[in-house]
Amino acid sequence: MRRLVSLALAAGLLAALSACAGQEKPNFPGAPAQSVPTRGQPLASAGPGPAAKPVDPASLYARLGQRAGIEAVMTDFVVRAAKDRRIAKRFEKTDAKALIAKLTDQLCEASGGPCKYAGKDMKTAHAGMKITNREWNITGGHVVAAMRAKKGPRKEQGEVMRLLGSMK
């Protein structure tokens, strides 16, 4: 039952991926977030302007390796999904770099990071796409596989799948 729930939650990601395919490329303000300083160290700045907001080390965002960790997982995921003959058609006209950037922003924001996702909400983005439960489950399997490949702990895998499922 737990596996079925996880896979069902992952299917929403397929919908998110397909919807992002035709959207304009994301705009990245500033540099990636800086980690929380250790005692005695000043906060690092993310660029010109005010100092970067400190990252809560207990947040899912921090535990996923911040933006770089999330982007590595999303890159691996997109490669896996695009190569899977069962769902590859959903990705044929997708700009992979734009998709990875949007997915990274989306998970970064949802996990407590400083990113801002500017895409459509998932229900709007996937309206009329008729994504099947099978496609949803296949996609979820690729998300989990990408997290495992990047050494994502089981607890964080579950948290990510619940987050993605809530977006379905």
Side-chain angles (χ1 to χ4, degrees):
M1 177 71 172
R2 186 178 233 167
R3 178 175 164 86
L4 181 62
V5 170
S6 292
L7 291 176
L9 295 175
L13 184 60
L14 173 62
L17 293 173
S18 299
C20 293
Q23 296 178 8
E24 64 184 59
K25 292 187 180 186
N27 182 13
F28 295 106
Q34 302 297 314
S35 57
V36 176
T38 58
R39 274 190 243 173
Q41 292 181 328
L43 284 175
S45 176
K53 191 174 166 183
V55 174
D56 177 1
S59 69
L60 178 58
Y61 171 73
R63 290 180 284 128
L64 291 172
Q66 298 189 25
R67 183 175 182 83
I70 293 169
E71 186 171 31
V73 169
M74 291 298 102
T75 299
D76 186 295
F77 163 74
V78 168
V79 169
R80 288 171 188 271
K83 289 181 178 179
D84 188 323
R85 63 176 172 68
R86 300 168 296 175
I87 59 174
K89 284 197 170 236
R90 296 281 189 178
F91 298 90
E92 282 179 338
K93 296 179 183 175
T94 301
D95 177 340
K97 286 183 182 184
L99 177 59
I100 291 164
K102 282 196 174 276
L103 291 172
T104 300
D105 278 347
Q106 189 174 34
L107 185 54
C108 172
E109 180 178 63
S111 65
C115 307
K116 295 295 178 210
Y117 173 67
K120 297 175 184 177
D121 68 87
M122 294 304 98
K123 284 190 179 197
T124 302
H126 303 116
M129 293 181 69
K130 299 179 183 173
I131 296 167
T132 67
N133 284 336
R134 180 175 182 261
E135 290 171 318
W136 171 260
N137 293 338
I138 291 167
T139 303
H142 288 310
V143 172
V144 171
M147 290 188 72
R148 284 183 184 150
K150 300 301 178 190
K151 309 292 186 225
R154 225 181 185 128
K155 177 183 175 192
E156 283 72 17
Q157 290 174 30
E159 288 181 57
V160 166
M161 296 311 291
R162 283 187 292 279
L163 268 175
L164 297 175
S166 72
M167 297 176 193
K168 183 178 179 182

